[in-house]
Amino acid sequence: MNNSHKLQLTKEEMKQYGYQVIDTIVAHFDTENTKKPVASASREEMDLLFKTEAPQEATNYKDVLDFVTEKVLPNSNIVTHPKSYSFVPGPSNFVSVMADTLATGFNIFSGGWAASPAAAELEIVTMNWLLKLFKFPTKKGGGIFTSGGSMANLTALVTARRQRCGDDFAKAIIYLSDQAHSSNIKAIRVLGFKKEQIRIIPTDIEFKMAINKLKNAIAKDRLEGLQPFCIIASAGTTNTGTVDPLNEIAKICKVEKLWFHIDGAYGAAAILSKKGSQELKGIEKADSLAIDPHKWLYQPYEMGCLLVRNHKWLSQTFTEKPEYLRDIEGNTSEINFYDHGIQLTRRFRALKFYMSMKTFGLNAFKKAVSYSIDLAEEVEAHLRKSPNWEVVSPATLAVINFRYNPIGKNYSEKRLDAINQEISKKVVSSREALLVTTILQKQIVLRMCLINPRTTILDVKDTIKTCENFAKEIV
């Protein structure tokens, strides 16, 4: 590498390197079904494999790439695998992966219009696609792509605080359910709210925010001279896929003049299906909505998104005018997205969404989302026909929770918890599937999130059979 001091490879070296990288990615997509989805290693094992001082001299680029292919990539979970059921899988697509490669290869700065008019325009175009999808006002509304749902929620709450409280938020109170995603609590803490300013509203038997208890909490806070300012509703909780009663919460927000934020990072994309759109009625009434294209819109990490009913809310909250940016302001139609969020330096996230949507078409995405919802319902029906399984939370937006509880055995709750925890442990240890537990109604349950359109009912039945075999060993 004669140009190594310039951090360059030759043209031929770049081509060979690039072809090998692409071949590796294609082989991964082509053969992932044959691999085990779970990676398992201790810190000690990883230190032994990777820990070294920074090298002073060059290493042959082929050797470095081979090492990464053989040692790094296999030691990561395959979140695109058909049997990766836990947390929220990341079933991306090859077109978006290549789009990300282009965006990264050209190192496009997507912060301001002057740096890349095309990048800014594509973010505007794709944002308008999403605004229309969720029935937000397309002329007045706006949004921004973020690193994920956590940053989308944080950006929303910064905006809500600015619009509703100004600079004084000492008495401001925010409301969310006991099933709300942890990123919301993290965002609230980052913003400097005290624990006393957070109201965790209990959920009902269906894991939805209890409306009467929400109304009581707001009324009590007002009587005590506090300032209710925001309600966070969930459109697809991580635990159960449950959607809070959005229309009822919207009415409360209108009457009480509260900011209505919906965390739809998991479930909002279900609006692409007929069943999902029924569950999500009222989502269009939010002031702000977080969604995660790197979940159910099949984009690679990182890609979250925040939509707002009025784009001026973002610019009023985040615009700063340092001297070094004064020459690139442009006109008001040329959006500088660094004025709409926290990041100044931003990668070109819109490209992968744009290219995959143009390549496959919206109807393909609709079919993929609908398939996942139907699959979860088929899994529920399969479980209900078995004497070994109890459905604890039914299939909701492609999430289902169940536990091993065979008829006639009459195991105690403590014993059932231990059995189901051990089933999960053995499945993960076998590396055959990623299936972990959560806690619902004080019960340890197995949770499946089935948003991967390449997961089949045979995959799921095979995993359930594996669970049953492990259960026989345990009991």
Coordinates of all heavy atoms in Angstrom, one line a residue, residues 347-417:
R347 N -25.8 11.8 9.5 CA -25.6 11.0 8.3 C -26.8 11.0 7.4 O -27.9 11.5 7.9 CB -25.2 9.6 8.8 CG -26.3 8.9 9.5 CD -25.9 7.5 9.9 NE -25.9 6.6 8.8 CZ -24.8 6.0 8.3 NH1 -23.7 6.3 8.9 NH2 -24.9 5.2 7.3
F348 N -26.7 10.6 6.2 CA -27.7 10.6 5.2 C -28.7 9.4 5.4 O -28.6 8.5 4.6 CB -27.1 10.7 3.8 CG -28.0 10.9 2.7 CD1 -29.3 11.3 2.8 CD2 -27.5 10.7 1.4 CE1 -30.2 11.5 1.7 CE2 -28.3 10.9 0.3 CZ -29.7 11.3 0.4
R349 N -29.5 9.5 6.4 CA -30.4 8.4 6.7 C -31.5 8.2 5.7 O -32.0 7.1 5.5 CB -31.0 8.5 8.1 CG -30.0 8.5 9.2 CD -30.6 8.5 10.6 NE -29.7 8.4 11.6 CZ -29.2 9.4 12.3 NH1 -29.7 10.6 12.1 NH2 -28.3 9.2 13.3
A350 N -32.0 9.3 5.1 CA -33.1 9.2 4.2 C -32.9 8.4 3.0 O -33.9 7.8 2.4 CB -33.5 10.6 3.8
L351 N -31.6 8.2 2.6 CA -31.4 7.5 1.3 C -31.8 6.1 1.3 O -32.4 5.6 0.4 CB -29.9 7.6 1.0 CG -29.5 7.0 -0.4 CD1 -30.1 7.8 -1.5 CD2 -27.9 7.0 -0.5
K352 N -31.6 5.4 2.4 CA -31.9 3.9 2.5 C -33.5 3.8 2.4 O -34.0 2.8 1.8 CB -31.3 3.3 3.7 CG -31.6 3.9 5.0 CD -30.7 3.2 6.1 CE -30.7 4.0 7.4 NZ -29.8 3.4 8.4
F353 N -34.2 4.6 3.1 CA -35.6 4.5 3.1 C -36.2 4.9 1.7 O -37.0 4.1 1.2 CB -36.2 5.5 4.2 CG -37.7 5.4 4.3 CD1 -38.3 4.2 4.7 CD2 -38.5 6.5 4.2 CE1 -39.7 4.0 4.8 CE2 -39.9 6.4 4.3 CZ -40.5 5.2 4.7
Y354 N -35.6 5.9 1.1 CA -36.0 6.3 -0.2 C -35.8 5.2 -1.3 O -36.7 4.8 -2.0 CB -35.3 7.6 -0.6 CG -35.5 8.0 -2.0 CD1 -36.6 8.8 -2.3 CD2 -34.6 7.7 -3.1 CE1 -36.9 9.3 -3.6 CE2 -34.8 8.2 -4.4 CZ -36.0 8.9 -4.6 OH -36.2 9.4 -5.9
M355 N -34.6 4.6 -1.2 CA -34.2 3.6 -2.3 C -35.0 2.3 -2.1 O -35.4 1.7 -3.1 CB -32.7 3.4 -2.2 CG -31.9 4.5 -2.8 SD -30.1 4.2 -2.9 CE -30.0 2.9 -4.1
S356 N -35.2 1.9 -0.9 CA -35.9 0.6 -0.6 C -37.4 0.8 -1.0 O -38.0 -0.1 -1.5 CB -35.8 0.1 0.8 OG -36.2 1.1 1.7
M357 N -38.0 2.0 -0.6 CA -39.4 2.2 -0.9 C -39.6 2.3 -2.5 O -40.6 1.8 -3.0 CB -39.9 3.5 -0.2 CG -41.3 3.7 -0.3 SD -42.3 2.4 0.6 CE -41.9 2.8 2.3
K358 N -38.6 3.0 -3.1 CA -38.7 3.1 -4.6 C -38.6 1.7 -5.3 O -39.2 1.4 -6.3 CB -37.7 4.1 -5.1 CG -37.9 5.5 -4.7 CD -39.0 6.2 -5.6 CE -38.4 6.6 -7.0 NZ -39.4 7.4 -7.7
T359 N -37.7 0.9 -4.7 CA -37.4 -0.4 -5.3 C -38.5 -1.4 -5.2 O -38.9 -2.0 -6.1 CB -36.1 -0.9 -4.7 OG1 -35.0 0.0 -5.0 CG2 -35.7 -2.3 -5.3
F360 N -39.0 -1.5 -3.9 CA -40.0 -2.5 -3.6 C -41.4 -2.0 -3.8 O -42.4 -2.8 -4.0 CB -39.8 -3.1 -2.2 CG -38.5 -3.8 -2.1 CD1 -37.5 -3.3 -1.2 CD2 -38.2 -5.0 -2.8 CE1 -36.3 -4.0 -1.1 CE2 -37.0 -5.7 -2.6 CZ -36.0 -5.1 -1.8
G361 N -41.7 -0.7 -3.5 CA -43.0 -0.2 -3.6 C -43.7 -0.3 -2.2 O -43.5 -1.3 -1.5
L362 N -44.6 0.6 -1.9 CA -45.3 0.7 -0.7 C -46.2 -0.6 -0.5 O -46.3 -1.1 0.7 CB -46.2 1.9 -0.6 CG -46.9 2.2 0.7 CD1 -45.9 2.3 1.9 CD2 -47.8 3.4 0.6
N363 N -46.7 -1.1 -1.5 CA -47.6 -2.3 -1.4 C -46.8 -3.5 -0.8 O -47.4 -4.3 -0.1 CB -48.2 -2.7 -2.7 CG -49.4 -1.8 -3.1 OD1 -50.0 -1.2 -2.2 ND2 -49.7 -1.7 -4.4
A364 N -45.5 -3.6 -1.2 CA -44.7 -4.7 -0.7 C -44.5 -4.6 0.9 O -44.6 -5.6 1.6 CB -43.4 -4.8 -1.3
F365 N -44.3 -3.3 1.3 CA -44.2 -3.1 2.7 C -45.6 -3.4 3.4 O -45.6 -3.9 4.5 CB -43.8 -1.6 3.0 CG -42.4 -1.4 2.7 CD1 -41.9 -1.2 1.4 CD2 -41.4 -1.3 3.7 CE1 -40.6 -0.9 1.2 CE2 -40.1 -1.0 3.5 CZ -39.6 -0.9 2.2
K366 N -46.7 -3.0 2.8 CA -48.0 -3.3 3.4 C -48.2 -4.8 3.6 O -48.7 -5.3 4.6 CB -49.1 -2.7 2.5 CG -49.2 -1.2 2.5 CD -50.3 -0.7 1.6 CE -50.4 0.8 1.7 NZ -51.5 1.3 0.8
K367 N -47.8 -5.6 2.5 CA -48.0 -7.0 2.6 C -47.1 -7.6 3.7 O -47.5 -8.6 4.4 CB -47.6 -7.7 1.2 CG -48.7 -7.4 0.2 CD -48.2 -7.9 -1.2 CE -49.3 -7.6 -2.3 NZ -48.8 -8.1 -3.6
A368 N -45.9 -7.1 3.8 CA -44.9 -7.6 4.8 C -45.5 -7.4 6.2 O -45.4 -8.3 7.1 CB -43.6 -7.0 4.7
V369 N -46.0 -6.2 6.5 CA -46.5 -5.9 7.8 C -47.8 -6.7 8.1 O -47.9 -7.3 9.2 CB -46.8 -4.4 8.0 CG1 -47.6 -4.1 9.2 CG2 -45.6 -3.6 7.9
S370 N -48.6 -6.9 7.1 CA -49.9 -7.7 7.3 C -49.5 -9.1 7.6 O -50.2 -9.8 8.4 CB -50.7 -7.5 6.0 OG -51.2 -6.2 5.8
Y371 N -48.5 -9.6 6.8 CA -48.1 -11.0 7.0 C -47.7 -11.3 8.5 O -48.1 -12.3 9.1 CB -46.9 -11.3 6.1 CG -46.3 -12.6 6.4 CD1 -46.8 -13.8 5.9 CD2 -45.1 -12.7 7.2 CE1 -46.2 -15.1 6.2 CE2 -44.5 -13.9 7.4 CZ -45.0 -15.1 6.9 OH -44.4 -16.3 7.2
S372 N -46.9 -10.3 9.1 CA -46.4 -10.5 10.4 C -47.6 -10.5 11.4 O -47.6 -11.3 12.4 CB -45.5 -9.4 10.8 OG -44.3 -9.4 9.9
I373 N -48.6 -9.7 11.3 CA -49.7 -9.6 12.2 C -50.5 -10.9 12.1 O -50.9 -11.5 13.1 CB -50.6 -8.4 11.9 CG1 -49.8 -7.1 12.2 CG2 -51.9 -8.5 12.6 CD1 -50.5 -5.8 11.9
D374 N -50.7 -11.4 10.8 CA -51.4 -12.7 10.6 C -50.6 -13.8 11.2 O -51.2 -14.8 11.8 CB -51.7 -12.9 9.1 CG -52.7 -11.9 8.5 OD1 -53.4 -11.3 9.3 OD2 -52.7 -11.8 7.3
L375 N -49.3 -13.8 11.1 CA -48.5 -14.9 11.6 C -48.6 -15.0 13.1 O -48.8 -16.1 13.6 CB -47.0 -14.7 11.2 CG -46.0 -15.7 11.8 CD1 -46.3 -17.1 11.3 CD2 -44.6 -15.3 11.4
A376 N -48.6 -13.9 13.8 CA -48.7 -13.9 15.3 C -50.1 -14.5 15.7 O -50.2 -15.2 16.6 CB -48.6 -12.5 15.8
E377 N -51.1 -14.2 14.9 CA -52.4 -14.7 15.2 C -52.5 -16.2 15.0 O -53.2 -16.9 15.7 CB -53.5 -14.0 14.4 CG -53.7 -12.5 14.8 CD -54.7 -11.7 14.0 OE1 -55.2 -12.3 13.0 OE2 -54.9 -10.6 14.3
E378 N -51.8 -16.7 13.9 CA -51.7 -18.1 13.7 C -51.0 -18.8 14.8 O -51.3 -19.9 15.2 CB -51.0 -18.3 12.3 CG -51.1 -19.7 11.8 CD -50.5 -19.9 10.4 OE1 -50.1 -18.9 9.8 OE2 -50.4 -21.1 10.0
V379 N -49.9 -18.2 15.3 CA -49.2 -18.8 16.4 C -50.0 -18.9 17.6 O -50.0 -19.9 18.3 CB -47.9 -17.9 16.7 CG1 -47.2 -18.4 18.0 CG2 -46.9 -18.0 15.5
E380 N -50.8 -17.8 17.9 CA -51.7 -17.9 19.0 C -52.7 -19.0 18.9 O -52.9 -19.8 19.9 CB -52.5 -16.6 19.1 CG -53.5 -16.5 20.3 CD -54.4 -15.3 20.4 OE1 -54.0 -14.3 19.7 OE2 -55.4 -15.3 21.0
A381 N -53.3 -19.2 17.7 CA -54.2 -20.3 17.5 C -53.5 -21.7 17.7 O -54.1 -22.6 18.3 CB -54.8 -20.2 16.1
H382 N -52.3 -21.8 17.3 CA -51.5 -23.0 17.5 C -51.3 -23.3 19.0 O -51.5 -24.4 19.4 CB -50.2 -22.9 16.7 CG -49.3 -24.1 17.0 ND1 -49.5 -25.3 16.4 CD2 -48.1 -24.2 17.7 CE1 -48.5 -26.1 16.8 NE2 -47.7 -25.5 17.6
L383 N -51.0 -22.3 19.7 CA -50.7 -22.4 21.2 C -52.0 -22.8 21.9 O -52.0 -23.7 22.8 CB -50.1 -21.2 21.7 CG -48.7 -20.8 21.3 CD1 -48.4 -19.3 21.7 CD2 -47.7 -21.7 21.9
R384 N -53.1 -22.2 21.5 CA -54.4 -22.5 22.2 C -54.9 -23.9 22.0 O -55.6 -24.5 22.8 CB -55.4 -21.5 21.8 CG -55.2 -20.1 22.3 CD -56.4 -19.2 22.2 NE -56.1 -17.8 22.4 CZ -56.0 -17.3 23.7 NH1 -56.1 -18.0 24.7 NH2 -55.8 -16.0 23.8
K385 N -54.4 -24.6 20.9 CA -54.8 -26.0 20.7 C -53.9 -27.0 21.4 O -54.2 -28.2 21.4 CB -54.7 -26.2 19.1 CG -55.8 -25.5 18.3 CD -55.5 -25.7 16.8 CE -56.5 -24.9 16.0 NZ -56.3 -25.1 14.6
S386 N -52.9 -26.5 22.0 CA -51.9 -27.4 22.8 C -52.3 -27.4 24.2 O -52.6 -26.4 24.9 CB -50.5 -26.9 22.6 OG -49.6 -27.5 23.5
P387 N -52.2 -28.6 24.9 CA -52.4 -28.7 26.3 C -51.3 -28.2 27.1 O -51.4 -28.2 28.4 CB -52.6 -30.2 26.5 CG -51.8 -30.8 25.4 CD -51.9 -29.9 24.2
N388 N -50.2 -27.8 26.5 CA -48.9 -27.5 27.2 C -48.8 -26.0 27.4 O -48.0 -25.5 28.3 CB -47.7 -28.0 26.5 CG -47.6 -29.5 26.4 OD1 -48.0 -30.1 27.4 ND2 -47.3 -30.1 25.3
W389 N -49.5 -25.1 26.6 CA -49.2 -23.7 26.6 C -50.4 -22.9 27.1 O -51.5 -23.2 26.7 CB -48.7 -23.3 25.3 CG -47.5 -24.0 24.9 CD1 -47.3 -25.0 24.1 CD2 -46.1 -23.6 25.3 NE1 -46.0 -25.4 24.0 CE2 -45.3 -24.5 24.7 CE3 -45.6 -22.6 26.1 CZ2 -43.9 -24.5 24.9 CZ3 -44.3 -22.6 26.4 CH2 -43.4 -23.5 25.7
E390 N -50.1 -21.8 27.7 CA -51.1 -20.8 28.2 C -50.8 -19.4 27.5 O -49.7 -19.0 27.7 CB -51.2 -20.7 29.7 CG -52.1 -19.6 30.2 CD -51.9 -19.3 31.7 OE1 -51.0 -19.9 32.3 OE2 -52.7 -18.5 32.2
V391 N -51.7 -18.9 26.8 CA -51.5 -17.5 26.2 C -51.8 -16.5 27.3 O -52.9 -16.4 27.8 CB -52.4 -17.3 25.0 CG1 -52.3 -15.9 24.5 CG2 -52.1 -18.3 23.9
V392 N -50.8 -15.7 27.7 CA -50.9 -14.7 28.7 C -51.4 -13.4 28.2 O -52.2 -12.7 28.8 CB -49.6 -14.6 29.5 CG1 -49.7 -13.5 30.6 CG2 -49.2 -15.9 30.2
S393 N -50.8 -13.0 27.0 CA -51.2 -11.8 26.3 C -51.4 -12.2 24.8 O -50.4 -12.6 24.2 CB -50.2 -10.7 26.5 OG -50.6 -9.6 25.7
P394 N -52.6 -12.0 24.3 CA -52.9 -12.5 22.9 C -52.1 -11.7 21.9 O -51.5 -10.7 22.1 CB -54.4 -12.3 22.8 CG -54.7 -11.2 23.7 CD -53.8 -11.4 24.9
A395 N -52.0 -12.3 20.7 CA -51.3 -11.7 19.6 C -51.8 -10.2 19.3 O -53.0 -10.0 19.0 CB -51.5 -12.5 18.3
T396 N -51.0 -9.3 19.5 CA -51.3 -7.9 19.3 C -50.2 -7.2 18.5 O -49.0 -7.2 19.0 CB -51.5 -7.1 20.6 OG1 -52.4 -7.9 21.4 CG2 -52.0 -5.7 20.4
L397 N -50.4 -6.7 17.3 CA -49.4 -6.1 16.5 C -48.2 -6.9 16.4 O -47.0 -6.5 16.6 CB -49.1 -4.7 17.0 CG -50.2 -3.6 17.0 CD1 -49.7 -2.2 17.2 CD2 -51.0 -3.7 15.7
A398 N -48.4 -8.2 16.2 CA -47.3 -9.2 15.9 C -46.5 -9.6 17.2 O -45.4 -10.2 17.1 CB -46.3 -8.7 14.8
V399 N -47.0 -9.2 18.4 CA -46.3 -9.6 19.6 C -47.2 -10.6 20.4 O -48.4 -10.3 20.5 CB -46.0 -8.4 20.5 CG1 -45.4 -8.9 21.9 CG2 -45.0 -7.5 19.8
I400 N -46.7 -11.7 20.9 CA -47.5 -12.6 21.7 C -46.7 -13.1 22.9 O -45.5 -13.3 22.8 CB -48.0 -13.8 20.8 CG1 -48.9 -14.7 21.7 CG2 -46.8 -14.6 20.2 CD1 -49.7 -15.7 20.8
N401 N -47.4 -13.2 24.0 CA -46.7 -13.7 25.3 C -47.4 -15.0 25.7 O -48.7 -15.0 25.8 CB -46.8 -12.6 26.3 CG -45.9 -11.4 26.0 OD1 -44.8 -11.4 26.4 ND2 -46.5 -10.4 25.4
F402 N -46.6 -16.0 26.1 CA -47.2 -17.2 26.5 C -46.3 -17.9 27.5 O -45.1 -17.5 27.7 CB -47.4 -18.1 25.3 CG -46.2 -18.3 24.4 CD1 -45.4 -19.5 24.6 CD2 -45.9 -17.4 23.5 CE1 -44.3 -19.6 23.8 CE2 -44.7 -17.6 22.7 CZ -43.9 -18.7 22.9
R403 N -46.8 -18.9 28.2 CA -45.9 -19.7 29.1 C -46.3 -21.2 29.1 O -47.4 -21.5 28.8 CB -46.0 -19.1 30.5 CG -47.4 -19.3 31.2 CD -47.3 -18.8 32.6 NE -48.6 -19.0 33.3 CZ -48.7 -18.8 34.6 NH1 -47.7 -18.5 35.4 NH2 -49.9 -19.0 35.2
Y404 N -45.3 -21.9 29.4 CA -45.5 -23.4 29.6 C -46.3 -23.6 30.9 O -45.8 -23.3 32.0 CB -44.1 -24.1 29.6 CG -44.2 -25.6 29.7 CD1 -44.5 -26.3 28.5 CD2 -44.0 -26.3 30.8 CE1 -44.6 -27.7 28.5 CE2 -44.1 -27.7 30.8 CZ -44.4 -28.4 29.7 OH -44.5 -29.8 29.7
N405 N -47.5 -24.2 30.7 CA -48.3 -24.5 31.9 C -49.3 -25.6 31.5 O -50.4 -25.5 31.2 CB -49.1 -23.2 32.2 CG -50.0 -23.4 33.5 OD1 -49.8 -24.4 34.2 ND2 -50.8 -22.5 33.8
P406 N -48.7 -26.9 31.5 CA -49.5 -28.0 31.0 C -50.7 -28.3 31.8 O -50.7 -28.2 33.1 CB -48.5 -29.1 31.0 CG -47.4 -28.7 32.0 CD -47.3 -27.2 31.9
I407 N -51.8 -28.6 31.1 CA -53.0 -29.0 31.8 C -52.9 -30.2 32.7 O -52.2 -31.2 32.3 CB -54.1 -29.2 30.8 CG1 -54.5 -27.9 30.0 CG2 -55.4 -29.8 31.4 CD1 -55.4 -28.0 28.9
G408 N -53.4 -30.1 33.9 CA -53.4 -31.3 34.8 C -52.2 -31.4 35.7 O -52.2 -32.2 36.6
K409 N -51.2 -30.6 35.5 CA -50.0 -30.6 36.3 C -50.1 -29.8 37.6 O -49.4 -30.1 38.6 CB -48.7 -30.2 35.5 CG -48.4 -31.1 34.3 CD -48.0 -32.5 34.8 CE -47.5 -33.3 33.6 NZ -47.1 -34.7 34.1
N410 N -50.8 -28.7 37.5 CA -51.1 -27.9 38.7 C -49.8 -27.4 39.4 O -49.7 -27.4 40.6 CB -52.0 -28.6 39.7 CG -53.3 -29.0 39.1 OD1 -54.0 -28.1 38.5 ND2 -53.8 -30.2 39.4
Y411 N -48.9 -26.9 38.6 CA -47.7 -26.4 39.1 C -48.0 -25.0 39.8 O -48.9 -24.3 39.4 CB -46.6 -26.1 38.0 CG -46.1 -27.3 37.4 CD1 -46.2 -27.5 36.0 CD2 -45.4 -28.3 38.1 CE1 -45.7 -28.6 35.3 CE2 -44.9 -29.4 37.5 CZ -45.1 -29.6 36.1 OH -44.5 -30.7 35.5
S412 N -47.2 -24.8 40.9 CA -47.4 -23.5 41.6 C -46.9 -22.3 40.7 O -46.1 -22.6 39.8 CB -46.6 -23.5 42.9 OG -45.2 -23.5 42.6
E413 N -47.3 -21.1 41.0 CA -46.8 -20.0 40.2 C -45.3 -19.9 40.3 O -44.6 -19.6 39.3 CB -47.4 -18.7 40.8 CG -48.9 -18.5 40.4 CD -49.2 -18.5 38.9 OE1 -48.4 -17.8 38.2 OE2 -50.1 -19.1 38.5
K414 N -44.7 -20.1 41.5 CA -43.3 -20.1 41.6 C -42.6 -21.1 40.7 O -41.6 -20.8 40.1 CB -42.9 -20.3 43.1 CG -41.4 -20.1 43.4 CD -41.1 -20.2 44.9 CE -39.7 -20.1 45.2 NZ -39.4 -20.2 46.6
R415 N -43.2 -22.3 40.7 CA -42.6 -23.4 39.9 C -42.7 -23.0 38.4 O -41.8 -23.3 37.6 CB -43.3 -24.7 40.2 CG -42.8 -25.9 39.4 CD -41.3 -26.2 39.7 NE -40.9 -27.4 39.0 CZ -39.7 -27.5 38.5 NH1 -38.8 -26.6 38.6 NH2 -39.3 -28.6 37.9
L416 N -43.9 -22.5 38.0 CA -44.1 -22.1 36.6 C -43.1 -21.1 36.1 O -42.5 -21.1 35.0 CB -45.5 -21.6 36.4 CG -46.6 -22.7 36.4 CD1 -48.0 -22.0 36.3 CD2 -46.4 -23.6 35.1
D417 N -42.8 -20.1 37.0 CA -41.8 -19.0 36.7 C -40.5 -19.7 36.5 O -39.8 -19.3 35.5 CB -41.7 -18.0 37.8 CG -42.9 -17.1 37.9 OD1 -43.7 -17.0 36.9 OD2 -43.1 -16.3 38.9

